Every structure is written in structure tokens, then in C-alpha cells.
Amino acid sequence: MSAASLPDLVLRYGGNLPRYTSYPTAASFTDAVGPAQMEGWLKDLPRSGPVSLYFHVPFCDELCRFCGCNTSVMRHDEGRQAYGDLLREEMRRMVALAGEGLPVGHVQFGGGTPTTLPPAALRRIMRAVRRFFHLGADAELSMELDPRHLSDGYAPLLGELGFNRVSLGVQDLDPQVQEACGRHQSFEQTRSCITQVRNAGIAGVNIDLIYGLPYQTAESVAVTAARIADLGPDRLAVFGYAHVPWKQKRQRTMPVKALPGPMRRLEQRARIDQVLRAAGYVAVGLDHYARPGDALARAAQAGTLHRNFQGYTTDSCDVLLGMGASAISMLPQGFAQNVTSASAYARAMAGHAALPVARGIARTPEDLLRGAIIERIMCDMGVDLARIVPPAGMAAPDFTAELQALAPFVQDGLATVEGQRIVVTDRGRPFLRNVAALFDTHRAGLMAQAGQADSPAHGRESRAAAGRGPAAESGDAAAQAVPTPRFSSTL
Ligand SMILES: C[S@@+](CC[C@H](N)C(=O)[O-])C[C@H]1O[C@@H](n2cnc3c(N)ncnc32)[C@H](O)[C@@H]1O
């Protein structure tokens, strides 16, 4: 095995790839899936549940230049109230099809900034959740917060309604970086936000950081990571900045000349990793960190971690009902995404009983199988193909080509392969998506549509599509809680 140099790795594995928060990814969604199909899927769900719930609130109090998510500003309280009413109505329509009383173990509000929902609107939504579903006593209720705009009384409200986890956007503490991103947020604002939620009895605190932003250096991101680690969040998400100005126009005002290149990004990522590990965190999957005793870290250790549109999760439920503009639902039969903008969502919900679904994809047995493999790679840093059971009626597939395509990864010290067992090394962690992409048979078609030739092992830049969230990653991460564009830079 030769230890490839950083420039070699950048050359071979750089480019844009999906974040694999779903498989097939949101880039494969088409209008072949609409309200009628989703209604059929909901009617066919087992009446015993369980289901998880996701509410997308696209509004923010102000827009940040770097943000790749599907967000807008809604200043009027009536507009925010009205949006809350639509979320309840959409939930009512789904429940009318899937049945009442299904058990729920996870409820997440993402955005945008879901605390832009007026307190009365949030109360009504949570009352409806408890009326329509059987919310478990130990259910995880989580909410994304913007520490700059947490109004007085909102943290106690979250505590009173039973929320037990929050995600705070921080990104970077350096004033020059904040200026470039159009997001001014003092350390004191972040600390005060954490104090407020902890005083409200909310134990779970996640923080989002970003590397690869303008003017960041390995040393500056290390300073941010160390100061944030001092605040003691249980979990951190460390995203690589997704610069997708063709999807997100506001990013055109970012000072592109000050963006670090792939080598600098890799170094920044490595420095943050070093700082967080030294502070006692363990690395989880592609881009998360958690305290060793935290449920996410324990799940990663036990091989029970999962990945969905919100990113890494302990939620093992295979049904996620997504409500709100651009929200994505996951069902065993397929994925369905709502219309994107808040205004289109309001129009789609007006006057009739249909669901506001715009696009999606039905999952074939092969998609389910490959999706399971990709999820294990993204969560466990590897997979034993011999232990992946094909869906009923499907013959055991032949993965010879995929195993052969791993040869460069093995040579570069990024992975090991023993028989059917693939293990991604710690050095290979930044390239987890490149390994997952070897099992993605939809990608070649998407690349061809976009007019790009590509070998599965070596992702080149793809401009295919955008989703909710920062365009370079998530249809996935972005689709909901994590910002994310459908494809993002791997480095
Ligand atoms: C949906 S946003 C919500 C953030 C929250 N409303 C706030 O303002 O603090 C969630 C996270 O997505 C990440 N994010 C947004 N745009 C991004 C981009 N272009 N590249 C990478 N991560 C991004 C940020 O870390 C952000 O905290």
C-alpha cells in the first residue's frame, strides 16, 4: 500500500458527490411521483406504525449569504401563523390516509429557522401531533435554532412542549469570516442561547460548524472548534461549505477569491477533527462528532446508526412523514418531496384535499438493497456485503465490479477489503461518499444527463440539480434539517 500524498488524493477523489442522506438521492426525483402515488403509499402503510415526523419551516429572520438551504424571509406574523396552520392541515391530510394513533418516536422541526413559528402556532402543531399520533414518553423532539434570533420565552416554551434536543447554527466565530458570510454572531450569543435551552430543561445540544468558508485557515477553524467545544455541546456537525451559486443566487455575493481550495479544505477538516478529538469527542460517520456516552456515538459503535434527510440519527424508523415546503417523506415504497417554495406550498394546499407533493421516486428492490449498503457505509465506515440480505424475491447480487473498483482506495490507504468485507480507514473518512458512490447505480445516468462522463470511483464536479439545502450536498442533507444541496464537494 502506498500512502498517497494530499495533492494526489485531491486529484483522484475531489469533486461533487451526493451526501447520501437517501438512496436514490433527491437528484433522481421526478414528477412521476405526485399526490396520487403518495396517497396510495400512505394508505398502504401498516396500521401499527411506527412513523417519524419532520416539519420544514423555510423562514429565517435574515438570510445568510453562504446558506445553501431553501429559505426566505417572512416578516409578518400572520404569514407565519398561516404557514403553521398549513402544516397542521397537511398533517391532518396524511393522518386521514395513514390512520390515527400511529406510534411516533422522533419529531423534528428544521428549516430555515423553525422558531420563526409564533409560539401559538407551535403549540397548536404540537397539540395536533399528540392528538393524531401516539407520541412515546421517550420520544426525541428536536428543533433548529438561530442563536441570534431566539426570542425571550421561546426556550422555556420548547421545554414546556417536551422538546429535548436543539441544533444551533454557529459556522465560524472569526469576524472576517462572519463578515464574508453575512452572518454576525458573537460567541456570547451562542453561549447565552445554550444557557437558555439548558435552563429550560433541554439536555441535547448540537452545534453546526462549517469549514471551507472564505478567509478560513486551518488555524482559524481550530480556534473556532476549540472555543465551541468549551461550551460542551453533546454533538457537532462539521460541514464542508457547499458553494453552489448556480442553485443559490445569494451565494454570488460571496468573495470567491477568498475561498480555500480543496487542499486547504482538507487541512481545515483535519484540524477541526484533531481539536474535537482532543476535546473528548468521537468522530461519527462523515461529518459528525459526539461525546462518547452520547446516543449517537453509542449507535455508531453498535452499528445501529442511521442516516436520513436530517443527517445522522438514532432513528431506526423506515417511515418519515415530511410536512411543509420542500419537505421530503420517506416510505418503504419510495420518496416524495413537496413543492419547493412557501408560496407554491400555500397554493398547493389551498382549497382541496390533495397532498402538496411535486416529485419523488418509487424504490425498486435493488434500490432498497443498494440503499441499505450505502447507509451502512455512511454510518459504519464500511459494510460486510455478505451480511446484507436482499429483499424478498431478489437474487443475491454480484458485486464483483464494485469490489474491483475499490482497488485504488485500498492502494491509497483509504479502505481495506477482505472477501466481501469493506472497511473505510480513518484516513478514508473524508472520502466516505466516494466509497458509497461505487454502489450508486443511478449516478451514472444522472451524470450522462448532465453531459458528464465519470468513473464511479472518481467523482467529478456535478451540477445536477439542487434541493433543499445547500446545493452542493443534500437533496439529502439539505432536504431538511441539515442544509444541503444535492451534491457537495467531497473535499
Ligand atoms: C438549515 S440550516 C439552519 C440554521 C439555523 N437556521 C441558523 O441560522 O442557525 C442548518 C445548517 O446548514 C448548514 N449550511 C447551510 N448552508 C450551507 C452551505 N452552503 N454549505 C454547508 N453547510 C451549510 C449550516 O451549518 C447550518 O447551520
Side-chain angles (χ1 to χ4, degrees), residues 145-484:
L145 304 182
D146 179 346
R148 300 165 304 164
H149 296 284
L150 186 66
S151 57
D152 282 351
Y154 218 100
L157 171 71
L158 294 177
E160 178 203 321
L161 293 177
F163 283 81
N164 42 29
R165 180 162 295 286
V166 292
S167 260
L168 279 60
V170 171
Q171 329 311 349
D172 192 281
L173 294 173
D174 184 275
Q176 190 186 18
V177 177
Q178 292 193 356
E179 174 67 25
C181 294
R183 182 183 177 111
H184 299 99
Q185 177 176 330
S186 68
F187 182 69
E188 203 34 58
Q189 279 173 317
T190 302
R191 178 161 51 195
S192 151
C193 181
I194 293 177
T195 304
Q196 288 177 58
V197 299
R198 286 190 174 143
N199 287 345
I202 298 169
V205 174
N206 305 10
I207 289 188
D208 296 338
L209 299 180
I210 302 184
Y211 65 88
L213 289 168
Y215 303 110
Q216 281 181 324
T217 65
E219 281 324 298
S220 78
V221 296
V223 170
T224 290
R227 293 187 75 199
I228 290 301
D230 272 350
L231 295 175
D234 328 72
R235 302 177 187 173
L236 293 109
V238 181
F239 301 118
Y241 171 56
H243 188 61
V244 288
W246 57 90
K247 181 214 169 211
Q248 192 51 279
K249 288 203 176 84
R250 68 181 77 127
Q251 289 186 347
R252 291 180 190 166
T253 58
M254 290 285 276
V256 280
K257 290 206 172 103
L259 282 173
M263 286 271 293
R264 301 282 91 85
R265 282 171 65 105
L266 260 186
E267 285 163 10
Q268 291 172 13
R269 188 191 147 103
R271 274 298 276 136
I272 296 176
D273 181 82
Q274 211 177 27
V275 169
L276 294 182
R277 287 179 196 246
Y281 290 92
V282 293
V284 173
L286 175 70
D287 51 16
H288 277 53
Y289 292 84
R291 295 224 166 269
D294 180 89
L296 203 72
R298 283 190 277 116
Q301 186 78 37
T304 57
L305 187 67
H306 289 276
R307 187 154 172 86
N308 66 18
F309 296 108
Q310 279 75 56
Y312 288 106
T313 174
T314 54
D315 186 4
S316 59
C317 187
D318 65 353
V319 181
L320 174 69
L321 304 182
M323 284 148 282
S326 79
I328 302 178
S329 293
M330 168 181 76
L331 293 98
Q333 306 96 317
F335 300 107
Q337 181 169 30
N338 283 349
V339 293
T340 308
S341 71
S343 52
Y345 175 67
R347 281 195 302 277
M349 288 291 294
H352 53 89
L355 295 171
V357 171
R359 62 191 80 85
I361 189 166
R363 287 198 277 185
T364 64
E366 180 162 355
D367 289 337
L368 290 169
L369 178 84
R370 288 182 178 272
I373 293 170
I374 287 173
E375 187 178 30
R376 286 337 318 147
I377 293 171
M378 296 301 295
C379 293
D380 300 347
M381 302 275 296
V383 64
D384 188 349
L385 296 172
R387 298 183 66 168
I388 299 283
V389 183
M394 187 182 169
D398 175 7
F399 290 118
T400 309
E402 286 84 350
L403 288 167
Q404 280 170 355
L406 272 161
F409 292 81
V410 174
Q411 262 197 336
D412 290 334
L414 308 181
T416 61
V417 180
E418 273 175 40
Q420 299 263 91
R421 189 157 180 265
I422 303 163
V423 175
V424 178
T425 62
D426 225 27
R427 180 171 161 85
R429 192 181 293 272
F431 309 103
L432 210 45
R433 289 181 287 168
N434 299 67
V435 177
L438 298 179
F439 292 88
D440 177 351
T441 49
H442 286 263
R443 199 167 159 260
L446 291 168
M447 300 293 293
Q449 272 172 33
Q452 295 172 48
D454 191 43
S455 82
H458 305 104
R460 288 201 178 74
E461 179 122 325
S462 165
R463 298 198 159 194
R468 149 237 136 117
E473 305 181 344
S474 131
D476 326 301
Q480 342 236 339
V482 185
T484 14

